Amino acid sequence: RAWKARTDAIRPGALVGDATADLHVARDQQAPSAALLASILEGLAKVRPPDLARWGVTGREKLSTRPEGIRIVLDRVAGLFAIDDFDAFWHAVPDRGVFVENTSRPSILIPTWLAEVSAGQQTYALTEAVVHLVRGTFTIDLFVPRELDILLAAAVRGQIPGFGEKIAAADVLDEHARVIGKAVSRKRRRAYEIAAQAYASTRGPDTSTLVHWVRQSARRIALVVADDLAASVAVALRSELQVGKVGIAAVRASPVIADLLKVWAANPAMMLRRSCGLIPPA
């Protein structure tokens, strides 16, 4: 009850690049798939055109850029990762937390209930989404794992003919490969080529496992950034539909919560706290 979060002590820009990578679940195994997802964002936007209206969002729901309320928390979190190229909107979709829509300028969609919770819970929830935005993995919330499985295989097929024929029909893969390949910009082209080769040569996890690893990686990072264990667990329980469970009951009900408790006091978390300014150097 007496805990005071020190998120404000984290230096702006302290979490850029690989600063948080040691908290990724199975870091080396998820990296090729995550890199491929990030490299084909433009192609995925052609496969599934973004539409804020599907979430009941219009220009009226856009957050003001004035430094007030949730905007202060969002800008502070974004500043830790040195990003500012995004828009933010309120949404009222039941049972959805903060997520990112794949618009040309990424849109962070924030549930209206987040305005009613503590600053610690706000920081945790917003950091999760910002981590996905920074990594380019936010499309895991826009497609089901089976769709992602086909799209990743199709993206590789665009670079390696014949790839993925055990995953889906050749004509389906070829059509997605054509759409994705045509949409990837010159700026991302080289990253796409490298990521496709790495994905093809690495026996990575199945897509459902990948989605879990990527999500849990973001939760771990958000836990450290929020610097508030109780607030972080409260939001994680909400996303796990385990609201009302506390203490050991919450741990037994959710591997997600059990993992967060282990990570809270683990060495990678302590190292990150020291490097970003949350605690003084040893």
Side-chain angles (χ1 to χ4, degrees):
R1 290 173 183 167
W3 182 265
K4 300 294 183 185
R6 299 187 66 248
T7 303
D8 288 345
I10 304 177
R11 299 182 302 276
L15 305 181
V16 170
D18 289 337
T20 61
D22 285 344
L23 288 177
H24 293 175
V25 179
R27 173 182 177 178
D28 293 340
Q29 290 174 265
Q30 70 162 281
S33 302
L36 183 56
L37 273 177
S39 72
I40 61 170
L41 284 174
E42 298 150 320
L44 297 181
K46 293 296 183 181
V47 173
R48 174 197 169 278
D51 181 10
L52 294 178
R54 69 161 51 93
W55 311 113
V57 172
T58 67
R60 291 191 300 272
E61 284 73 43
K62 190 170 184 178
L63 262 69
S64 167
T65 56
R66 292 192 298 270
E68 57 187 21
I70 199 85
R71 187 81 214 195
I72 295 174
V73 183
L74 176 58
D75 287 346
R76 182 175 68 228
V77 169
L80 303 180
F81 297 87
I83 63 164
D84 58 13
D85 188 23
F86 62 86
D87 291 318
F89 299 82
W90 293 109
H91 79 77
V93 182
D95 301 326
R96 290 215 70 157
V98 188
F99 66 101
V100 181
E101 178 57 279
N102 195 17
T103 44
S104 56
R105 179 178 163 95
S107 299
I108 299 178
L109 302 185
I110 303 169
T112 52
W113 60 259
L114 202 66
E116 303 167 4
V117 299
S118 69
Q121 292 184 50
Q122 292 175 349
T123 300
Y124 174 88
L126 292 169
T127 302
E128 261 197 86
V130 168
V131 169
H132 288 310
L133 175 56
V134 169
R135 296 190 69 197
T137 55
F138 55 83
T139 49
I140 64 169
D141 290 326
L142 304 177
F143 297 93
V144 300
R146 174 59 181 158
E147 292 172 328
L148 288 173
D149 200 24
I150 294 171
L151 291 168
L152 287 169
V156 175
R157 190 180 181 89
Q159 298 296 316
I160 303 175
F163 184 87
E165 291 189 352
K166 293 182 179 179
I167 295 173
D171 59 336
V172 172
L173 293 171
D174 287 339
E175 175 59 18
H176 284 319
R178 183 190 66 78
V179 172
I180 291 170
K182 186 176 179 181
V184 174
S185 64
R186 183 175 299 177
K187 178 181 177 181
R188 295 182 188 262
R189 176 66 55 179
R190 184 56 182 157
Y192 166 41
E193 294 169 353
I194 293 171
Q197 293 290 338
Y199 182 93
S201 63
T202 305
R203 188 176 177 82
D206 63 84
T207 310
S208 293
T209 300
L210 170 71
V211 168
H212 170 68
W213 284 356
V214 170
R215 283 186 178 143
Q216 193 64 9
S217 299
R219 293 185 188 111
R220 288 175 169 189
I221 296 163
L223 173 74
V224 174
V225 172
D227 195 39
D228 189 327
L229 179 60
S232 300
V233 167
V235 178
L237 283 171
R238 184 168 188 147
S239 68
E240 289 283 288
L241 304 180
Q242 301 284 349
V243 176
K245 290 197 167 137
V246 296
I248 195 66
V251 177
R252 288 174 175 163
S254 172
V256 165
I257 304 303
D259 179 74
L260 291 180
L261 289 178
K262 292 176 184 176
V263 168
W264 177 258
N267 221 29
M270 298 306 293
M271 295 295 289
L272 178 59
R273 290 183 180 108
R274 290 194 181 97
S275 67
C276 73
L278 263 178
I279 58 177

